[in-house]
Amino acid sequence: MPTVDYTLEDFSFIMTTNFESAYHLSQLAHPLLKASGTGSIVFLSSVCGVVSVSVGSIYSATKGAMNQLTKNLACEWAKDNIRSNSIAPYFIESPFTDHLLGNEKFHEEAIARTPLGRIGEPKEVSSLVAFLCLPAASYITGQTICVDGGFTVNGFLLPKA
C-alpha cells in the first residue's frame, strides 16, 4: 500500500503488532533470560527493514526498528550475558507468502531479483534461529542476518539477453 493511503489506525495496528509486541516481550523476558546465565533473543525481522521496497513503509519501519532494538539490547544486556540478534528473511515458502508467490509474474520477478534464483524454504530460517540459540553462537550478538538468497546485496539486474 502506498504511504499516503495508510490511516492512523493502520499505523497503530502495524506498529503494535510488529514492533511493540517484540519490545514488550523482551522486557518481560529479561529477568528469565538473565537468570538463565546465557540468554539469547532472536527477533524475526525482514529484508524490508534492511533495504527499501516499493510499498509497505510502516511494515518496513517496524522491521527497521526491530533491527535497531537488536543492536541496543545487544549492548545494554551484554552485562547480563544476554545476546540479541535479528533474522531478516526475504520470500520464504509459507502460507503467509502463498498469495503473492501464487501470482506467476510476481513469483518470476522475485526469483529474478534473487541471485540464488529461488524462493527460500522455512528450514533455512529455522536452522539459523536454532544456531543463534546454541553455545556455538555465543560470540554473535547485535547482528541482523539476512536469509535472502543474496537479494539485499544484489545490484541492478540487466535484462537477460
Side-chain angles (χ1 to χ4, degrees):
M1 176 183 314
T3 300
V4 296
D5 292 343
Y6 283 106
T7 65
L8 180 59
E9 291 79 20
D10 294 332
F11 180 87
S12 180
F13 178 78
I14 296 168
M15 287 299 284
T16 299
T17 302
N18 289 355
F19 179 65
E20 286 184 40
S21 59
Y23 183 90
H24 294 303
L25 183 58
S26 297
Q27 287 178 310
L28 292 170
H30 180 268
L32 298 172
L33 294 168
K34 182 177 179 179
S36 77
T38 56
S40 179
I41 298 170
V42 181
F43 292 113
L44 191 57
S45 180
S46 168
V47 295
C48 296
V50 177
V51 296
S52 177
V53 295
S54 59
V55 294
S57 61
I58 300 172
Y59 176 82
S60 297
T62 65
K63 298 306 184 173
M66 186 177 291
N67 295 341
Q68 186 60 46
L69 178 62
T70 297
K71 295 174 188 178
N72 284 73
L73 292 183
C75 294
E76 182 181 343
W77 291 357
K79 68 184 181 321
D80 299 323
N81 208 25
I82 299 170
R83 297 178 302 107
S84 174
N85 291 290
S86 185
I87 297 176
Y90 183 45
F91 286 109
I92 304 297
E93 291 180 14
S94 72
F96 184 73
T97 60
D98 284 349
H99 72 284
L100 292 170
L101 297 174
N103 176 315
E104 187 175 337
K105 183 177 179 186
F106 187 92
H107 189 265
E108 289 174 4
E109 183 69 22
I111 289 175
R113 294 177 181 271
T114 309
L116 287 182
R118 64 180 179 80
I119 300 302
E121 298 177 24
K123 67 182 178 185
E124 293 170 312
V125 176
S126 62
S127 60
L128 180 55
V129 172
F131 171 72
L132 288 172
C133 294
L134 292 172
S138 64
Y139 203 57
I140 301 172
T141 193
Q143 302 304 303
T144 297
I145 303 170
C146 295
V147 181
D148 64 358
F151 170 77
T152 56
V153 296
N154 196 14
F156 178 73
L157 290 175
L158 296 173
K160 294 179 182 174

